[in-house]
Amino acid sequence: MIDSKGEYFIKDNHKFRTDQVEVLASDAILIYEVLRIIGSVCLFAESHYNRLKISAQLTGVHLDVTFRQFENNITQLIQSNSICEGNIKVLVQVGRGKQAAFYYLIPHNYPTTEDYKNGVKAGLLELERSMPKAKTVQQKLREETSRFIQQEKIYDVILVDSEGYVTEGSRTNIFFVKEDEFYTAPSEHILSGITRQRTLECLAELKYNCIEKPISYLSISDYDAAFLTGTSPKVLPIYAIGSQKYNVNHEPMRKLAEAYNKLVDSYLAKEQAKKM
């Protein structure tokens, strides 16, 4: 069932009130994207659309939605609900020879100023995402990770695969830092987020080396700092994973966070200028 927090949702280019309940087929393939709205602008819309296409291809689906339709439906959703800030979910349902695309507002939980200053806590959980490179609805994984997050009172759970390697957060990607070198799991083993991709671009511009390699959960004490990346948290320092503490004022990490924020501001300014 579509759980929209706005007054309206969009389905296949048409606007509906949220009390016009839509029931999703239980046997359908569900691929999705979560996008952030800042100042009524959708952040990195084209990148999210491209990843939606990749998810469709990986699940054997031809995506019927064009980028223009994707963009127009998001604009219609923003205008219909008069939103300036928030998160949007784009959910494509495929089944029984039919395809439908839903656009709706979802709850968001952005880190506080204190979270960015002091960092957040994460925990480890041995759990794997099936078909990790495709962003598909995996309800069992979502339920298990949400339960663990609430139980441990942490910001996010870091997944560990069957071989003992750290892969990604349940809703984020994770990086580790040693001196001025950055480390993250290989792209082919994870769902590489849009924020992660932009983070890698920022690291290249800053001339910092980023190494993609399997990281054992037993080796997380070898690093000076760690941080999460994602649609809602952007670049968010971690002060602890379980009992392992990290330096939240690590200078290269702080420079990266500043560079990412500048990248976002530049993108938003360009998009807002197009509207004038």
Coordinates of all heavy atoms in Angstrom, one line a residue, residues 226-270:
A226 N 35.4 7.5 10.5 CA 34.4 6.8 9.6 C 33.2 7.7 9.4 O 33.0 8.6 10.3 CB 34.0 5.5 10.3
F227 N 32.6 7.5 8.3 CA 31.4 8.4 8.1 C 30.4 7.7 7.1 O 30.8 6.8 6.4 CB 31.8 9.8 7.5 CG 32.5 9.7 6.2 CD1 31.8 9.8 5.0 CD2 33.9 9.6 6.2 CE1 32.5 9.8 3.8 CE2 34.6 9.6 4.9 CZ 33.9 9.7 3.8
L228 N 29.2 8.1 7.2 CA 28.1 7.6 6.4 C 27.8 8.6 5.3 O 28.0 9.9 5.5 CB 26.8 7.4 7.2 CG 26.9 6.4 8.4 CD1 25.7 6.5 9.2 CD2 27.1 5.0 7.9
T229 N 27.3 8.2 4.1 CA 26.8 9.0 3.1 C 25.4 8.6 2.7 O 25.1 7.4 2.7 CB 27.7 9.1 1.8 OG1 27.8 7.7 1.3 CG2 29.1 9.5 2.2
G230 N 24.6 9.5 2.3 CA 23.2 9.1 1.9 C 22.4 10.3 1.6 O 22.8 11.5 1.8
T231 N 21.2 10.1 1.0 CA 20.3 11.1 0.6 C 19.9 12.1 1.8 O 20.0 13.3 1.6 CB 19.0 10.5 0.0 OG1 19.4 9.8 -1.2 CG2 18.0 11.6 -0.4
S232 N 19.5 11.5 2.9 CA 19.2 12.3 4.0 C 20.4 12.8 4.8 O 20.5 14.0 5.2 CB 18.2 11.5 5.0 OG 17.0 11.4 4.3
P233 N 21.4 12.0 5.2 CA 22.5 12.4 6.0 C 23.6 13.2 5.3 O 24.4 13.8 6.0 CB 23.0 11.1 6.6 CG 22.8 10.1 5.5 CD 21.4 10.5 5.0
K234 N 23.6 13.2 4.0 CA 24.7 13.8 3.2 C 26.0 13.1 3.6 O 26.1 11.9 3.5 CB 24.7 15.3 3.4 CG 23.4 15.9 2.9 CD 23.5 17.4 2.7 CE 23.5 18.2 4.0 NZ 23.4 19.6 3.9
V235 N 27.0 13.8 4.2 CA 28.2 13.3 4.7 C 28.2 13.4 6.2 O 28.3 14.5 6.7 CB 29.5 13.9 4.1 CG1 30.7 13.4 4.8 CG2 29.5 13.7 2.6
L236 N 28.1 12.3 6.9 CA 27.8 12.3 8.4 C 28.8 11.6 9.2 O 28.9 10.3 9.0 CB 26.4 11.7 8.6 CG 25.9 11.7 10.1 CD1 25.8 13.1 10.7 CD2 24.5 10.9 10.1
P237 N 29.6 12.2 10.0 CA 30.6 11.5 10.8 C 30.0 10.5 11.8 O 28.9 10.6 12.3 CB 31.3 12.7 11.6 CG 31.0 13.9 10.9 CD 29.6 13.7 10.3
I238 N 30.8 9.4 12.0 CA 30.4 8.4 13.0 C 31.4 8.5 14.2 O 32.6 8.6 14.0 CB 30.6 7.0 12.3 CG1 29.6 6.8 11.2 CG2 30.4 5.9 13.4 CD1 29.9 5.5 10.4
Y239 N 30.8 8.6 15.4 CA 31.7 8.6 16.5 C 32.0 7.3 17.1 O 33.0 7.1 17.8 CB 31.1 9.6 17.6 CG 30.0 9.0 18.5 CD1 30.3 8.2 19.5 CD2 28.7 9.4 18.3 CE1 29.2 7.7 20.3 CE2 27.7 8.9 19.1 CZ 27.9 8.1 20.1 OH 26.9 7.6 20.9
A240 N 31.1 6.3 16.8 CA 31.4 4.9 17.2 C 30.6 3.9 16.4 O 29.5 4.2 15.9 CB 31.0 4.8 18.7
I241 N 31.2 2.8 16.2 CA 30.5 1.6 15.6 C 30.7 0.5 16.7 O 31.7 0.0 17.0 CB 31.2 1.1 14.3 CG1 31.1 2.1 13.3 CG2 30.4 -0.2 13.9 CD1 31.8 1.7 11.9
G242 N 29.5 0.3 17.4 CA 29.6 -0.6 18.6 C 30.5 0.1 19.6 O 30.3 1.3 20.0
S243 N 31.5 -0.6 20.1 CA 32.4 0.0 21.1 C 33.6 0.7 20.5 O 34.4 1.3 21.3 CB 32.9 -1.1 22.1 OG 33.6 -2.1 21.4
Q244 N 33.8 0.6 19.2 CA 34.9 1.2 18.5 C 34.7 2.7 18.3 O 33.7 3.1 17.6 CB 35.2 0.5 17.2 CG 36.3 1.1 16.4 CD 37.7 1.1 17.2 OE1 38.0 0.0 17.8 NE2 38.4 2.2 17.1
K245 N 35.5 3.6 18.8 CA 35.4 5.0 18.7 C 36.2 5.6 17.6 O 37.2 5.0 17.2 CB 35.8 5.7 20.0 CG 35.0 5.2 21.3 CD 33.5 5.7 21.2 CE 32.7 5.2 22.4 NZ 33.2 5.7 23.6
Y246 N 35.7 6.7 17.0 CA 36.4 7.4 15.9 C 36.5 8.9 16.2 O 35.8 9.5 16.9 CB 35.7 7.1 14.6 CG 35.6 5.7 14.2 CD1 34.5 4.9 14.5 CD2 36.7 5.1 13.6 CE1 34.5 3.5 14.1 CE2 36.7 3.7 13.2 CZ 35.6 3.0 13.5 OH 35.6 1.6 13.2
N247 N 37.5 9.5 15.4 CA 37.7 10.9 15.5 C 36.8 11.6 14.6 O 36.9 11.6 13.4 CB 39.2 11.2 15.1 CG 39.5 12.7 15.1 OD1 38.8 13.5 15.6 ND2 40.7 13.0 14.6
V248 N 35.9 12.4 15.2 CA 34.9 13.1 14.4 C 35.4 14.4 13.9 O 34.7 15.0 13.0 CB 33.6 13.3 15.2 CG1 32.9 12.0 15.6 CG2 33.8 14.2 16.4
N249 N 36.6 14.8 14.3 CA 37.2 16.1 13.9 C 38.3 15.8 12.9 O 39.2 16.7 12.7 CB 37.6 16.9 15.0 CG 36.4 17.4 15.9 OD1 35.4 17.9 15.3 ND2 36.5 17.2 17.2
H250 N 38.4 14.6 12.3 CA 39.4 14.3 11.4 C 39.5 15.3 10.3 O 38.4 15.4 9.6 CB 39.2 12.9 10.9 CG 40.3 12.3 10.2 ND1 40.5 12.4 8.8 CD2 41.4 11.5 10.6 CE1 41.6 11.8 8.4 NE2 42.1 11.2 9.4
E251 N 40.6 15.9 10.0 CA 40.6 17.1 9.1 C 40.3 16.7 7.7 O 39.4 17.4 7.0 CB 42.0 17.7 9.1 CG 42.1 19.0 8.3 CD 43.4 19.7 8.4 OE1 44.2 19.3 9.3 OE2 43.6 20.7 7.7
P252 N 40.8 15.7 7.1 CA 40.4 15.3 5.7 C 38.9 15.0 5.6 O 38.3 15.4 4.6 CB 41.3 14.1 5.4 CG 42.5 14.3 6.2 CD 42.0 14.8 7.5
M253 N 38.4 14.3 6.6 CA 36.9 14.0 6.5 C 36.1 15.3 6.6 O 35.1 15.5 5.9 CB 36.6 13.1 7.7 CG 35.1 12.8 7.7 SD 34.7 11.7 9.1 CE 35.0 12.8 10.5
R254 N 36.5 16.3 7.4 CA 35.8 17.5 7.5 C 35.9 18.3 6.2 O 35.0 19.0 5.8 CB 36.3 18.3 8.7 CG 35.9 17.7 10.1 CD 34.4 17.8 10.2 NE 33.9 17.3 11.5 CZ 32.7 17.2 11.9 NH1 31.7 17.7 11.1 NH2 32.3 16.7 13.1
K255 N 37.1 18.3 5.6 CA 37.3 19.0 4.3 C 36.3 18.4 3.3 O 35.8 19.1 2.4 CB 38.7 18.9 3.9 CG 39.7 19.8 4.6 CD 41.1 19.7 4.1 CE 42.0 20.7 4.8 NZ 43.4 20.6 4.3
L256 N 36.2 17.1 3.3 CA 35.3 16.4 2.3 C 33.9 16.8 2.6 O 33.2 17.1 1.6 CB 35.4 14.9 2.5 CG 34.3 14.1 1.8 CD1 34.5 14.2 0.3 CD2 34.4 12.6 2.3
A257 N 33.4 16.8 3.8 CA 32.0 17.2 4.1 C 31.8 18.6 3.6 O 30.7 18.9 3.1 CB 31.8 17.1 5.6
E258 N 32.7 19.5 3.8 CA 32.6 20.9 3.4 C 32.5 21.0 1.8 O 31.7 21.7 1.3 CB 33.8 21.7 3.8 CG 33.7 23.2 3.5 CD 34.9 24.0 4.0 OE1 35.7 23.4 4.8 OE2 35.0 25.2 3.6
A259 N 33.3 20.2 1.2 CA 33.3 20.1 -0.3 C 32.0 19.6 -0.8 O 31.5 20.1 -1.8 CB 34.5 19.3 -0.8
Y260 N 31.5 18.6 -0.2 CA 30.2 18.0 -0.6 C 29.1 19.0 -0.4 O 28.2 19.2 -1.3 CB 29.8 16.7 0.2 CG 28.5 16.2 -0.3 CD1 28.4 15.5 -1.4 CD2 27.4 16.4 0.5 CE1 27.1 15.0 -1.9 CE2 26.1 16.0 0.1 CZ 26.0 15.2 -1.1 OH 24.8 14.8 -1.5
N261 N 29.0 19.7 0.7 CA 28.0 20.8 0.9 C 28.1 21.9 -0.1 O 27.1 22.4 -0.6 CB 28.1 21.3 2.3 CG 27.7 20.3 3.4 OD1 26.9 19.5 3.1 ND2 28.2 20.5 4.6
K262 N 29.3 22.3 -0.5 CA 29.5 23.3 -1.6 C 29.0 22.8 -2.9 O 28.4 23.5 -3.7 CB 30.9 23.7 -1.7 CG 31.4 24.5 -0.5 CD 32.9 24.9 -0.7 CE 33.4 25.8 0.5 NZ 34.8 26.2 0.3
L263 N 29.2 21.5 -3.2 CA 28.7 20.9 -4.4 C 27.2 20.9 -4.4 O 26.6 21.3 -5.5 CB 29.2 19.4 -4.5 CG 28.7 18.6 -5.7 CD1 29.2 19.1 -7.0 CD2 29.0 17.1 -5.5
V264 N 26.5 20.6 -3.3 CA 25.1 20.6 -3.2 C 24.6 22.1 -3.5 O 23.6 22.3 -4.2 CB 24.6 20.1 -1.9 CG1 23.1 20.4 -1.7 CG2 24.8 18.6 -1.8
D265 N 25.2 23.0 -2.8 CA 24.8 24.4 -2.9 C 24.9 24.9 -4.4 O 24.0 25.6 -4.9 CB 25.6 25.3 -2.0 CG 25.3 25.1 -0.5 OD1 24.3 24.5 -0.2 OD2 26.2 25.5 0.3
S266 N 26.0 24.5 -5.0 CA 26.2 24.9 -6.4 C 25.1 24.3 -7.3 O 24.6 25.0 -8.2 CB 27.6 24.4 -6.9 OG 27.8 24.7 -8.3
Y267 N 24.8 23.0 -7.1 CA 23.8 22.4 -7.9 C 22.4 23.1 -7.7 O 21.7 23.3 -8.7 CB 23.6 20.9 -7.5 CG 22.6 20.1 -8.2 CD1 22.9 19.4 -9.4 CD2 21.3 20.1 -7.8 CE1 21.9 18.7 -10.1 CE2 20.3 19.4 -8.5 CZ 20.6 18.7 -9.6 OH 19.6 18.0 -10.3
L268 N 22.1 23.3 -6.5 CA 20.8 24.0 -6.2 C 20.7 25.4 -6.8 O 19.6 25.7 -7.3 CB 20.6 24.1 -4.7 CG 20.4 22.7 -3.9 CD1 20.4 23.0 -2.4 CD2 19.2 22.0 -4.4
A269 N 21.8 26.1 -6.7 CA 21.8 27.5 -7.3 C 21.6 27.4 -8.8 O 20.8 28.2 -9.4 CB 23.1 28.1 -7.0
K270 N 22.2 26.5 -9.5 CA 22.0 26.3 -10.9 C 20.6 25.9 -11.3 O 20.0 26.5 -12.2 CB 23.0 25.3 -11.5 CG 24.4 25.7 -11.5 CD 25.4 24.6 -12.0 CE 26.8 25.1 -11.9 NZ 27.8 24.0 -12.3

